[in-house]
Structures are given as structure tokens and as C-alpha cells.
Amino acid sequence: MQPISQIRSRTVVMPNDDIDTDQIIPARFLTTTTKVGLGANLFTDWRYNEDGSPKADFVLNTDAAKGASVLVAGRNFGCGSSREHAPWALLDFGINVVVNTEIADIFRGNSLKNGLVPVIVDGPTHAWLIENPGVEVTVDLDSKTIELPDGRRVDFPIDGFSRYCLMNGLDQLGFLSEHEAAIRSFEEARA
């Protein structure tokens, strides 16, 4: 994982409620154990026609979405099964932040462990972002805020451990590796 302190990007909006992990990355694409290549099948049932051609009207296929790394989605994003492939697919596609009022707990945990930043905002802020697609926002992990185009900063919750890991580019094993000497010393003292 790469260290993250700030992400500045345009938003792309998918206002659908209850987007589940099977819609994010269908089960038929879960045969891989690597994180690479899953972005090609992100929202595949919504993004592509039966012949494999892109649907021109699907938001992620539009020119406005190109390069945007902040996804603003409808309520209850990431519900469904606990597959870790869903955050992997979003990250591989180029989405680094998901903004919502409600993100499924397991999806949120998987996201934090893999470098995808889940940002929970209040209802009025979320409604404004849904109504104004393509605005530039700044997600700042240091201040735990998302800055809107008018300069307003909205706080979002993130636990200290996840924040530390994201800001230092660490997954849980990387965090433990940082403390290997202390762990070894503790284990030797116990033996």
C-alpha cells in the first residue's frame, strides 16, 4: 500500500442505494487471489452490454468519470457478502475513496485494510455531493475532513489504527512487521 495523507479529486456519482459486493464485482470474477486486474470487471453487469461493449450511459464509462478517484454512492454501499475483492476492484479501477452516509461494516473494514478510504458524511453533505457530480473535493486523513469546493470542511470518523496504517502505507502485517523487534523481545522474555 502507498501512504495516503490527502486525496484531491473530482467526484463521480452513483446514487443507487444498496449497491452490494456482487454488483461491485460479480462472483464469477473471484477466481484470482491477486488484486491486479479486477478493475476491468468492476460493475461489469452494469458497465457492459451482452456483447462486451461498454454502455455509453453508465457513469464510469463517461468522459466525466475519467480520472475521478472519489466515488459518491447511494445509501448502504458495500452490503452483501464479505468479499475482499470488492475494495480490490475499486482500487484497481482507480477509485481511492467512497463517500456515503452509510457503508456496510464488513466492506468498510476490508476497505481500510486495503487502502480504500471510506468516508461517512452527514445527510445534507451527502445530498449536496449527489446533486453536484464532478466537483473537486479533498479528503484529508490528517484532519479527518473532506473539503468541499466552497471551502467547507466536513469531519468524518476513522479509527486511529486504520488512520495510522493508511497514512503510513501499512496493512496489518506491515504494522506488525514494524514492531518485530518488540514482539521478538516479548516472546523471548516469555519463553
Side-chain angles (χ1 to χ4, degrees):
M1 290 178 17
Q2 295 297 314
I4 304 167
S5 59
Q6 269 192 358
I7 297 170
R8 185 172 185 81
S9 174
R10 286 177 296 104
T11 62
V12 60
V13 174
M14 291 182 66
N16 315 54
D17 289 341
D18 303 315
I19 296 175
D20 67 37
T21 54
D22 197 50
Q23 292 161 328
I24 296 169
I25 184 77
R28 65 187 179 275
F29 300 110
L30 305 186
T31 57
T32 183
T33 56
T34 68
K35 301 175 183 184
V36 179
L38 290 169
N41 296 306
L42 178 71
F43 297 111
T44 197
D45 293 337
W46 296 351
R47 278 177 57 202
Y48 301 107
N49 294 307
E50 286 185 26
D51 67 0
S53 62
K55 292 181 180 178
D57 62 344
F58 183 69
V59 68
L60 293 182
N61 294 336
T62 65
D63 287 341
K66 285 185 177 34
S69 65
V70 176
L71 174 66
V72 180
R75 184 187 59 77
N76 196 26
F77 187 82
C79 56
S81 69
S82 61
R83 65 186 62 152
E84 197 169 23
H85 294 74
W88 292 357
L90 287 159
L91 285 163
D92 191 56
F93 184 78
I95 301 295
N96 296 314
V97 177
V98 174
V99 179
N100 210 312
T101 56
E102 181 182 344
I103 296 175
D105 286 341
I106 293 173
F107 177 83
R108 186 174 188 281
N110 284 337
S111 295
L112 289 166
K113 292 174 187 173
N114 286 284
L116 179 70
V117 182
V119 173
I120 304 291
V121 295
D122 59 88
T125 299
H126 183 252
W128 188 89
L129 287 166
I130 291 282
E131 293 166 8
N132 294 279
V135 297
E136 192 164 290
V137 297
T138 301
V139 174
D140 188 307
L141 284 172
D142 190 44
S143 64
K144 300 185 283 187
T145 60
I146 181 169
E147 184 178 346
L148 304 178
D150 63 4
R152 183 172 32 128
R153 291 178 177 255
V154 178
D155 294 331
F156 64 87
I158 185 167
D159 69 272
F161 175 72
S162 295
R163 182 171 160 260
Y164 175 86
C165 287
L166 288 168
M167 292 184 73
N168 289 282
L170 299 170
D171 59 13
Q172 290 176 334
L173 290 176
F175 176 80
L176 288 174
S177 293
E178 278 193 332
H179 298 86
E180 187 174 352
I183 294 168
R184 186 177 291 114
S185 175
F186 174 82
E187 291 297 328
E188 288 171 358
R190 279 190 50 192

